[in-house]
Amino acid sequence: MRVFKFGGASVSSIDRIKQVAHILRNESNLLVVISAMGKTTNALEKVAEQFYAGYRDEALALFKQVKDQHINTAKYLLVTEYLACEQALINFFTEVEWLLYDKPVRHFDYYYDQIVCIGELLSTCIVSAFLNEEKISNKWIDVRDVFRTDDLFRDATIDWAFTQQKVDELVKPLLAQNRIVVTQGFIGATDENESTTLGREGSDYSAAIFANMLDADYQAIWKDVAGVMNADPKKYPNAELIPVLNYNEVIEMAYYGAQVIHPKTIKPLQNKGIPLYVKCFLDPSLPGTVIHYKPIPALPPIIVLKESQVLLHLKSKDFSFVGEHSVLQLYKLFEQLAFRPNLTQNGAISFTCCLDDRSEKLEQLALAAADFFDVTVEKGLRLLTIRHYVPEIIATLVAQQKIVLQQQTPETVQLVLH
């Protein structure tokens, strides 16, 4: 069996939902994980923010827009399946509305998860109904009945043993009885049936968990690109497709900031040697990229450019060495402020780090670090990372820019540019 994951862009319009049906028409023995439609998650985040700020009417008005969008989508797509789908959607709407008429008494992250999780439930309900309308037999399930998590809302951790038990009890029999099982990514539930979300790239991660627990032949992630590219084609028009990668290379790319596959998605697949395909949703005939555990041939230079960077220059106040204690204090600040340095460089009496320019948190970090360092901040920078570099590519990409800081290994070069 296999696991397919369709992201929000794949179900963002009537035509794209029809394209999902086209891809799935002749499939069987397949579990399909689907994200919320288009910008629905962003819209629901605004609902949660207004509700928590005490603006109930504004929250309800924003939620009505989400409701209308999904009802209208169902009306355009469905005929015989419409009434059943509409009733299911209304049930999900009610799940949020009863909360919105209350007053917040718990922390924001709890309400965020109860509200935002609805996006995936709405999209999968509509897609499943449309597949049935198109005579593509499938069974819809609520992943909250399968994925048990802790109660760390917005970044919940999977209870692997309990979830595996539920996959064995609920999902495997459904796959044996149905061509396709449709479910949600990104969400789960606590042992008290409170909805949770799994954090960044949660939908890809959800699909990888299912692939692991079902011992899938492979997992496919369907995107609106040809596959994994060696650079962002919006910034580098000559970017080329990378047909084959391995798990380690993808993790390295993600570490340096490439918008590829999150490492937490790779791990469940890597544990069982399950290949991951990145396929083109717009043209399924394209080969895409396969990611596996095997050695790979020579790769082209892989280019990652991060804009809006700052250098935080930290110097010892008394000219003593910058040692383990002061660096440990600094990393505690990184952890407290959820800041991950993109590059660091340690000297005898100085420590320099390159960070994303998140103004409010950067100011907090600089003020706190000033207790034990002299601090200066340099803004308006870019961080260029090139894996598998050759001298010519460095010269081409850096032309007419000032190199502020450079780090280089035989495999990777990083340059902070002004």
Side-chain angles (χ1 to χ4, degrees), residues 4-60:
F4 282 6
K5 183 263 176 176
F6 293 93
S10 303
V11 289
S12 61
S13 68
I14 301 295
D15 287 342
R16 290 197 166 195
I17 293 172
K18 290 179 178 179
Q19 177 69 355
V20 170
H22 172 71
I23 291 169
L24 298 180
R25 181 163 299 283
N26 297 314
E27 296 290 347
S28 61
N29 200 21
L30 180 70
L31 184 132
V32 178
V33 172
I34 299 174
S35 299
M37 291 181 182
K39 303 296 184 182
T40 300
T41 298
N42 292 340
L44 290 168
E45 286 175 345
K46 291 177 182 176
V47 173
E49 289 163 3
Q50 291 297 310
F51 163 75
Y52 198 72
Y55 302 118
R56 185 182 71 181
D57 291 345
E58 289 83 348
L60 286 166

Side-chain angles (χ1 to χ4, degrees), residues 324-341:
E324 294 177 359
H325 177 68
S326 52
V327 173
L328 178 61
Q329 287 179 293
L330 184 62
Y331 271 87
K332 284 181 178 177
L333 290 177
F334 289 150
E335 184 177 10
Q336 289 168 13
L337 295 170
F339 241 136
R340 184 179 78 82

Side-chain angles (χ1 to χ4, degrees), residues 12-295:
S12 61
S13 68
I14 301 295
D15 287 342
R16 290 197 166 195
I17 293 172
K18 290 179 178 179
Q19 177 69 355
V20 170
H22 172 71
I23 291 169
L24 298 180
R25 181 163 299 283
N26 297 314
E27 296 290 347
S28 61
N29 200 21
L30 180 70
L31 184 132
V32 178
V33 172
I34 299 174
S35 299
M37 291 181 182
K39 303 296 184 182
T40 300
T41 298
N42 292 340
L44 290 168
E45 286 175 345
K46 291 177 182 176
V47 173
E49 289 163 3
Q50 291 297 310
F51 163 75
Y52 198 72
Y55 302 118
R56 185 182 71 181
D57 291 345
E58 289 83 348
L60 286 166
L62 288 170
F63 188 59
K64 184 178 184 302
Q65 294 176 18
V66 174
K67 291 167 56 178
D68 291 346
Q69 176 204 352
H70 287 83
I71 288 291
N72 289 336
T73 300
K75 284 179 178 176
Y76 275 109
L77 284 168
L78 306 173
V79 180
T80 58
E81 297 290 329
Y82 176 74
L83 290 178
C85 179
E86 180 190 42
Q87 186 56 56
L89 293 175
I90 289 170
N91 291 340
F92 292 133
F93 297 153
T94 303
E95 195 175 319
V96 171
E97 285 172 331
W98 74 262
L99 183 149
L100 296 180
Y101 278 104
D102 207 345
K103 290 185 178 180
V105 293
R106 299 176 65 169
H107 58 85
F108 175 75
D109 289 352
Y110 167 77
Y111 294 105
Y112 177 98
D113 280 7
Q114 309 319 300
I115 294 169
V116 168
C117 76
I118 295 298
E120 274 67 19
L121 296 163
L122 299 176
S123 66
T124 52
C125 177
I126 292 172
V127 173
S128 174
F130 181 64
L131 293 177
N132 284 327
E133 185 96 13
E134 293 289 297
K135 304 296 186 281
I136 303 170
S137 175
N138 74 97
K139 179 69 174 178
W140 180 95
I141 58 171
D142 188 333
V143 76
R144 296 176 299 178
D145 294 331
V146 182
F147 278 15
R148 169 67 57 81
T149 75
D150 63 13
D151 60 358
L152 182 59
F153 297 102
R154 294 190 72 178
D155 194 19
T157 300
I158 292 286
D159 180 334
W160 281 80
F162 185 92
T163 301
Q164 179 71 68
Q165 179 184 334
K166 286 297 182 182
V167 168
D168 294 342
E169 290 177 0
L170 300 176
V171 181
K172 288 182 178 178
L174 289 176
L175 282 166
Q177 299 160 12
N178 300 272
R179 285 175 55 193
I180 296 171
V181 171
V182 174
T183 192
Q184 306 79 39
F186 182 55
I187 66 177
T190 69
D191 56 6
E192 296 184 357
N193 289 324
E194 295 172 321
S195 298
T196 55
T197 61
L198 304 181
R200 185 183 169 203
E201 305 298 333
S203 289
D204 288 355
Y205 182 46
S206 297
I209 293 168
F210 273 120
N212 176 288
M213 294 186 174
L214 292 165
D215 293 309
D217 297 322
Y218 67 83
Q219 176 183 335
I221 295 176
W222 294 85
K223 292 177 171 282
D224 54 1
V225 292
V228 178
M229 312 295 284
N230 76 319
D232 183 347
K234 294 175 183 175
K235 296 176 181 176
Y236 301 98
N238 295 326
E240 57 186 279
L241 175 72
I242 306 175
V244 183
L245 286 166
N246 63 23
Y247 303 129
N248 290 343
E249 184 64 36
V250 169
I251 290 170
E252 290 285 343
M253 292 170 67
Y255 174 79
Y256 290 114
Q259 300 298 308
V260 283
I261 310 300
H262 195 277
K264 73 179 183 182
T265 296
I266 294 296
K267 190 58 181 168
L269 304 174
Q270 188 177 28
N271 286 349
K272 289 193 173 179
I274 298 170
L276 173 64
Y277 287 82
V278 180
K279 294 282 288 177
C280 181
F281 166 80
L282 301 173
D283 186 354
S285 67
L286 294 176
T289 299
V290 60
I291 302 165
H292 53 47
Y293 60 90
K294 301 173 185 176

